DNA sequence: CGATTTATTTGACCTAGATCAACGACGCCG
DNA sequence: CGGCGTCGTTGATCTAGGTCAAATAAATCG
């Protein structure tokens, strides 16, 4: 049964924000909510692409891996992000629920039809994909050329930015507190490092006073600009 | 003055392949050809985005860099590829001509209008950006988790695929000969390695008989599948 | 609540690739 | 043709981060 989009937590931040009341209704008719428990794969590399989805809550990781166990997280997605690949028949990455995830799924074919019918939707999707491309290029740079310390700092800043995704600048030297959605092992897989190195760098950052861990998942950043500097990031938060 | 798209070398492979005769005419009216000499920057990180373009000939590298000289190539673009970022006011990467490059430029704003007016164009652009996203995710994986030998092999395969971009499978164990568009230093910047390591790995691959260098730029790959295997790539060429 | 399992931290040591340093091979120009 | 600058190769050494191992610390379960 169609769900009521008016009460959707990500109604305006997600793709659907592009749509008028009437259009949303049509979209809601092809949507279906699903909940995926933490740690479960949503789709595997090579799976047929039968759906696309908006993330309503939770965190999703996109990974590529080799048979020998090497693994790289190639995307982290948060509530209101779009998950999936219109106009492709198969998934090129594995998508896995990091925490429990709620999705608003659409049949891929029907969604493609919607895109074709509603240019505003397509335009918004395009803008999103382009943003994603920018972010992943930044990411490639980090993984390709930065030191372990810089990588860990950069990841923390990135997650901080996306968690309280007000993001946009506000004051310099701002304080941020948040829970890491991912484990040390997942941090390592984001950064092309090992768990041990990530852990050592977290300890190092703590020792420097750049972060403060109340427990291993709860991060307090007393001065975001400072952490940006440690990460070798532009001090001006890259405008989304 | 408008150029005649009918004679365009990349007319059908590029974005414009989506357009009807009449639409192409309109597009051609806002297009302008430029030639950029080898080694020259096309735009710098942070530049105002005044245009987007199709690449007619030559190779373009997209780079991010740090003040201390560390540099990462985050994209390599070939003829028929689309260069630029609609709906963004500034460039987030530097674009530089690797070889002499011919562009077919469009005013960004006008191009955005075209996108809005011609959904087929937008859809084709979307598909392209999604492809680019897939490729760069693969790339992130390579840089994050693969050994130097695997990285170099992967890069050669990737370039071989894109150079004679018939690409699509044909026979197994196929032979490929091509000229590297990029220097050792640029290969290193693609892979997050140093020149020396790239050079050593090229020598290693030559010693193994996996490649054959007639000169430092001219690569002969006697068995593409074998090189794929060395690079830890799926043997089935990832469908474009 | 104690037992067990799983995540994280820390330490000791090792290695892939970086760095430093020649050296050879082309092209270019006078 | 010979000097010179750039690019690529190769060798010797060093080091950031990996690997292996052990000690906490936190979560799960009966």
């Amino acid at each position: 049964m169609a769900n009521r989009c008016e009460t959707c937590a990500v109604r305006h931040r997600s793709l659907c924000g592009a749509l008028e009341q009437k259009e949303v209704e049509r979209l809601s008719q092809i949507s279906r909510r699903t909940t995926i428990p933490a740690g479960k794969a949503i789709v595997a590399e090579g799976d047929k692409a039968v759906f696309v989805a908006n993330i309503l809550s939770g965190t999703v990781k996109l990974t590529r891996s080799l048979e020998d166990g090497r693994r790289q997280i190639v995307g982290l997605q948060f509530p209101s992000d779009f998950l999936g690949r219109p106009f492709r028949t198969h998934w090129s990455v594995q998508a896995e629920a990091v925490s429990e995830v709620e999705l608003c799924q659409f049949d891929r074919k029907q969604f493609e039809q919607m895109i074709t019918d509603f240019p505003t939707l397509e335009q918004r999707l395009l803008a999103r994909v382009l943003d994603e491309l920018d972010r992943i290029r930044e990411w490639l740079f980090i993984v390709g050329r930065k030191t372990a310390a810089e990588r860990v700092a950069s990841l923390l800043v990135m997650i901080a930015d996306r968690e309280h995704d007000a993001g946009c600048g506000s004051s310099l030297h701002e304080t941020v507190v948040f829970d890491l959605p991912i484990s040390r092992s997942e941090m390592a897989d984001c950064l092309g490092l090992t768990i041990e190195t990530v852990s050592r760098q977290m300890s190092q950052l703590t020792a420097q006073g750049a972060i403060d861990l109340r427990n291993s998942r709860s991060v307090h950043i007393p001065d975001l600009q400072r952490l940006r500097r440690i990460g070798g990031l532009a001090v001006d938060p890259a405008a989304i």
Side-chain angles (χ1 to χ4, degrees), chain A residues 77-121:
Chain A
Q77 314 214 227
F78 298 92
S80 85
D81 281 352
F82 179 78
L83 176 67
R85 180 70 168 80
F87 309 117
R88 260 293 175 85
T89 57
H90 295 270
W91 289 79
S92 62
V93 295
Q94 172 175 89
E96 190 174 330
V98 171
S99 55
E100 178 173 289
V101 167
E102 274 182 293
L103 296 180
C104 179
Q105 293 186 317
F106 310 98
D107 175 79
R108 178 175 61 85
K109 290 256 170 69
Q110 287 182 292
F111 184 81
E112 286 169 5
Q113 190 56 51
M114 289 283 298
I115 281 179
T116 305
D117 295 347
F118 299 119
T120 48
L121 187 63

Side-chain angles (χ1 to χ4, degrees), chain A residues 35-50:
Chain A
T35 302
I36 293 111
K40 190 154 170 268
I42 301 171
V43 297
E45 225 174 296
D47 273 8
K48 264 196 100 176
V50 298

